[in-house]
């Protein structure tokens, strides 16, 4: 006897026999189950059912039953725990077998055991890698808060976490604040109601909220009189910016000449000072602001230069 199921291919005949739809509510009554065999093609005339004691199909001879389309009450003899079905069309063309169904679970929807997944909702700008002075990438936090958000179908979960080796905390969705600059090590794991955990997660990152600090001085000590500093084009302006966190990105400046509007920011270069002096013969307002590699910007420092008119 030839055993197959649902989809038949031959050199001359190709018959697609799709497995039945279970239309009635399944009821498990001792060793008897009830369901309906509903053909989806007119040429399906019968169904063949095999009962098995184990899932090792090659180690035993199954108990076979034939059934017509329609409602059926399948009696399961003692010792048989599994069954499968295939359709039989006209001319005894047999389809493929279904999967092996377990009698005890047939018609029931087992509760899925899911592994919880936890993640820090990271956008591209929340944790950013920045190369250190030694050339190694380090993660920097660009916001002062992190929320550990479990993404799972399970509703009853708990999150255990600790920061920098401190005591373990347990909650359902922690909101963590990192307001102080420094190095941090965040350890956490998410566990569902069945005790299944996604494993320990470790995040090591730095927090840098302080902008760079810029100081300036004039080369060739200028002349001073009564608290007023007098400079010429020979007195170069030296800027020095330092940043203890992510490191200095650049120093920016903008100017206004007389009553003109303030210009856009430009990057400070060695030639910038001479260009500023030579490009304006009126009073000059110079604003200097350094930016670190994380985007923290210094409050602009102002230098006001009043042009001294030459005596005739």
């Amino acid at each position: 006897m030839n055993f197959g199921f649902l989809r038949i291919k031959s050199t001359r005949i190709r018959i697609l026999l799709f497995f039945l739809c279970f239309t009635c509510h399944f009821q498990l009554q001792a060793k008897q189950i009830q369901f309906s065999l509903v053909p989806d093609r007119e040429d399906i005339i019968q169904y063949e059912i095999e009962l098995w004691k184990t899932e090792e199909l090659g180690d035993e001879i199954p108990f076979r039953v034939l059934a017509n389309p329609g409602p059926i009450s399948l009696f399961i003899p003692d010792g048989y725990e599994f069954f499968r079905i295939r359709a039989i069309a006209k001319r005894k063309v047999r389809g493929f077998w279904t999967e092996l169904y377990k009698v005890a679970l047939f018609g029931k929807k087992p509760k899925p055991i899911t592994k919880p997944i936890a993640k820090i909702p990271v956008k591209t700008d929340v944790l950013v890698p920045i190369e250190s002075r030694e050339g190694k990438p380090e993660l920097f936090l660009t916001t002062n808060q992190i929320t550990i958000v479990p993404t799972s179908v399970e509703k009853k979960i708990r999150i255990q976490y600790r920061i920098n080796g401190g005591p373990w905390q347990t909650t359902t969705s922690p909101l963590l604040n990192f307001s102080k600059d420094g190095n941090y090590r965040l350890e956490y794991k998410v566990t569902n109601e069945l005790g299944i955990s996604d494993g320990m997660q470790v995040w090591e990152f730095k927090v840098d909220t302080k902008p760079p600090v810029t100081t300036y001085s004039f080369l060739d000590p200028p002349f001073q009189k009564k608290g007023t500093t007098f400079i010429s084009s020979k007195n170069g302006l030296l800027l020095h910016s330092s940043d203890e966190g992510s490191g200095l990105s650049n120093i920016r400046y903008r100017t206004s000449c007389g009553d003109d509007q303030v210009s856009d920011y430009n990057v400070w270069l060695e030639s910038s000072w001479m260009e500023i002096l030579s490009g304006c013969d009126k009073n000059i307002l110079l604003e200097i602001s350094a930016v670190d590699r994380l985007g923290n910007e210094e409050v602009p420092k102002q230098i006001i230069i009043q042009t001294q008119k030459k005596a005739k």
Side-chain angles (χ1 to χ4, degrees):
M1 183 177 293
N2 182 24
F3 299 104
F5 182 56
L6 296 191
R7 185 169 297 195
I8 307 296
K9 292 184 179 179
S10 63
T11 55
R12 296 190 178 185
I13 302 176
R14 186 183 178 205
I15 304 176
L16 300 180
L17 304 177
F18 294 99
F19 179 54
L20 52 135
C21 302
F22 296 110
T23 58
C24 294
H25 295 287
F26 306 126
Q27 297 179 356
L28 183 61
Q29 299 176 352
K31 286 292 184 176
Q32 189 175 23
I33 55 176
Q34 299 175 349
F35 53 90
S36 289
L37 298 170
V38 182
D40 62 345
R41 295 177 60 99
E42 294 181 357
D43 56 351
I44 296 177
I45 58 175
Q46 214 169 26
Y47 291 92
E48 187 174 11
I49 304 173
E50 280 189 350
L51 306 177
W52 294 82
K53 295 180 179 179
T54 67
E55 296 179 276
E56 302 297 329
L57 303 186
D59 296 342
E60 61 179 291
I61 298 176
F63 183 84
R64 296 187 178 93
V65 178
L66 292 177
N68 295 324
I72 177 176
S73 293
L74 181 61
F75 178 75
I76 310 295
D78 291 340
Y80 288 90
E81 305 294 338
F82 303 90
F83 72 97
R84 63 180 183 175
I85 306 173
R86 69 176 174 182
I88 303 176
K90 295 178 179 179
R91 299 180 183 178
K92 296 184 178 181
V93 178
R94 288 170 168 80
F96 291 121
W97 288 107
T98 66
E99 61 182 282
L100 205 61
Y101 295 106
K102 192 169 184 178
V103 174
L105 300 178
F106 187 70
K108 297 181 179 180
K109 294 183 178 180
K111 183 178 180 180
I113 300 178
T114 58
K115 185 177 181 180
I117 302 173
K119 69 175 183 180
I120 295 178
V122 178
K123 299 179 181 178
T124 56
D125 59 347
V126 174
L127 283 173
V128 294
I130 295 178
E131 193 173 277
S132 66
R133 296 181 180 89
E134 294 76 21
K136 298 180 180 179
E138 298 176 317
L139 285 178
F140 278 81
L141 190 66
T142 60
T143 177
N144 62 352
Q145 291 183 337
I146 287 180
T147 303
I148 300 177
V149 181
T151 56
S152 173
V153 296
E154 298 289 339
K155 294 182 179 180
K156 296 182 179 179
I157 56 91
R158 58 189 177 92
I159 299 172
Q160 293 177 290
Y161 72 94
R162 68 177 180 178
I163 300 172
N164 290 348
W168 286 99
Q169 307 290 331
T170 302
T171 184
T172 56
S173 183
L175 178 64
L176 308 179
N177 292 289
F178 299 91
S179 57
K180 295 183 179 180
D181 288 14
N183 299 329
Y184 290 91
R185 177 183 173 91
L186 171 62
E187 301 171 83
Y188 68 93
K189 66 178 179 179
V190 180
T191 306
N192 65 12
E193 59 182 323
L194 299 178
I196 301 176
S197 172
D198 65 340
M200 186 66 65
Q201 305 292 321
V202 179
W203 289 81
E204 292 184 344
F205 54 88
K206 292 186 174 183
V207 172
D208 175 20
T209 61
K210 296 178 181 178
V213 177
T214 302
T215 59
Y216 64 89
S217 60
F218 290 99
L219 298 177
D220 298 330
F223 175 72
Q224 292 187 349
K225 182 180 180 181
K226 295 181 180 181
T228 301
T229 300
F230 295 87
I231 62 172
S232 69
S233 58
K234 296 180 180 180
N235 299 116
L237 180 62
L238 179 63
L239 303 182
H240 176 74
S241 294
S242 61
D243 185 83
E244 297 179 354
S246 58
L248 181 67
S249 176
N250 55 59
I251 302 174
R252 307 188 308 165
Y253 76 95
R254 64 181 182 178
T255 62
S256 64
C257 179
D259 296 329
D260 295 344
Q261 291 184 347
V262 179
S263 67
D264 294 331
Y265 273 110
N266 296 284
V267 177
W268 183 267
L269 305 173
E270 291 184 3
S271 59
S272 299
W273 175 239
M274 296 304 298
E275 292 174 358
I276 293 170
L277 294 180
S278 62
C280 180
D281 58 0
K282 301 177 182 179
N283 295 339
I284 300 173
L285 171 64
L286 171 62
E287 291 186 343
I288 301 169
S289 175
V291 182
D292 67 15
R293 291 189 291 175
L294 201 57
N296 296 313
E297 183 177 358
E298 180 184 23
V299 176
K301 289 181 169 63
Q302 291 187 345
I303 301 176
I304 300 175
I305 304 167
Q306 294 181 341
T307 302
Q308 185 75 30
K309 294 182 180 180
K310 295 181 180 180
K312 295 181 180 180

